[in-house]
């Protein structure tokens, strides 16, 4: 069975709650689609108004991060239960900006993945190499290490349900998209890595997105690749262009 495409916006730290609601209204008719899952991953403070704003539409809401702790004295943190209670379905885990600015490592990201799955949230697990790593020729090894560590103790059935986003760090927010061939090469390697660890059935089911300067002009070609099941979109998710990315066909 063909995998269903999934296109997620990663709004990052851009929209105030009232701006977020206005953006939902602007995008409402543009992101209608019967064959693509559409997700807005939004800042924690925007979650409640955005869940309300997308009610009755085809859009699901995601968080940009969550705590791996159950609950308690963790000032500033947001738990999986809080996200679920607010109506969240997806959660980005291990975005390169979290890894870099908040020093999130694979061990803690693994705990986040396990907690999200335990609670019934779908992780969008991010991985990706730096420009330096690409130039050193160690991209595929690096990605395999990230995937294997971040998915430690996750079962094959659980892996089949999650979303992995391949985001080369040098392509994020730079306007410098990976070539279609580069994106497909790594997404294919991720699927092979999943097949190696969890079997081919699981690998055929897991959805793998490409992220990094996806825009209305390059989405169709990227999403047509056999191993690319949609995109994680930053900058272009904040404007009407996002509708063109969702309706890329
Ligand atoms: P970009 O961001 O589309 O602005 O490059 C992608 C991301 O960080 O998820």
């Amino acid at each position: 069975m063909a995998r269903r495409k999934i296109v997620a916006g990663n709004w990052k730290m851009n929209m105030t709650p009232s701006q977020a609601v206005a953006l939902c209204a602007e995008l409402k008719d543009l992101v209608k689609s019967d064959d693509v899952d559409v997700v807005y991953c939004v800042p924690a403070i925007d979650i409640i108004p955005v869940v309300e704003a997308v009610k009755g539409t085809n859009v699901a809401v995601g968080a940009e991060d969550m705590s791996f702790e159950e609950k308690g004295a963790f000032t500033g943190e947001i738990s999986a239960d809080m996200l679920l209670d607010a109506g969240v379905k997806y959660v980005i885990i291990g975005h390169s900006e979290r890894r870099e600015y908040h020093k999130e490592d694979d061990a803690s990201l693994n705990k986040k993945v396990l907690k999200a799955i335990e609670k019934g949230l779908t992780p969008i697990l991010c991985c990706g190499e730096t420009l330096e790593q690409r130039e050193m020729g160690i991209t595929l090894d690096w990605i395999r290490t990230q995937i294997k560590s971040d998915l430690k103790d996750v079962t094959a059935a659980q892996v089949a349900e999650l979303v992995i986003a391949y985001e080369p760090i040098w392509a994020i927010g730079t306007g410098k998209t990976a070539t279609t061939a580069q994106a497909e090469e790594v997404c294919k390697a991720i699927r092979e890595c999943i097949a190696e660890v969890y079997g081919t059935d699981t690998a055929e089911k897991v959805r793998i997105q490409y992220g990094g300067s996806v825009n209305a002009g390059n989405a169709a070609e990227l999403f047509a690749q056999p191993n690319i099941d949609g995109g994680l979109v930053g900058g272009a998710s904040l404007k009407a262009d996002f509708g063109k990315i969702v309706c890329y066909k």
Side-chain angles (χ1 to χ4, degrees), residues 10 12 95-97 167 171-175 211-214 232-236:
N10 175 11
K12 309 192 181 182
H95 189 281
S96 61
E97 287 149 18
E167 298 204 308
I172 296 176
T174 56
S213 300
V214 173
L232 183 57
V233 186

Side-chain angles (χ1 to χ4, degrees), residues 233-247:
V233 186
S237 70
L238 300 169
K239 42 188 186 183
D241 264 15
F242 190 62
K244 294 194 189 126
I245 299 173
V246 169
C247 305

Side-chain angles (χ1 to χ4, degrees), residues 74-196:
F74 302 100
T75 302
E77 292 282 43
I78 309 266
S79 72
D81 282 338
M82 292 171 185
L83 296 178
L84 280 166
D85 190 59
V88 167
K89 304 277 185 238
Y90 294 84
V91 56
I92 297 177
I93 293 178
H95 189 281
S96 61
E97 287 149 18
R98 301 288 318 170
R99 292 180 191 257
E100 184 180 352
Y101 307 136
H102 300 272
K103 306 287 168 254
E104 295 196 17
D105 60 10
D106 290 317
S108 66
L109 295 172
N110 175 236
K111 289 196 218 170
K112 291 189 180 196
V113 169
L114 289 167
K115 180 58 81 178
I117 292 172
E118 173 202 325
K119 295 290 180 175
L121 290 163
T122 300
I124 300 178
L125 172 65
C126 300
C127 59
E129 81 287 4
T130 61
L131 187 56
E132 200 183 356
Q133 288 169 322
R134 177 159 283 271
E135 284 168 352
M136 282 163 66
I138 58 168
T139 298
L140 299 185
D141 285 342
W142 173 252
I143 303 282
R144 279 193 207 102
T145 306
Q146 282 189 320
I147 294 291
K148 286 185 184 169
S149 333
D150 297 348
L151 295 182
K152 191 170 156 273
D153 299 331
V154 181
T155 68
Q158 291 167 336
V159 171
E161 297 294 317
L162 61 79
V163 179
I164 297 174
Y166 165 55
E167 298 204 308
I169 296 169
W170 48 272
I172 296 176
T174 56
K176 201 175 163 200
T177 325
T179 64
T180 308
Q182 285 171 327
E184 167 62 14
E185 182 196 20
V186 181
C187 291
K188 180 166 177 266
I190 293 172
R191 203 174 300 286
E192 285 165 0
C193 172
I194 298 290
E196 210 179 285

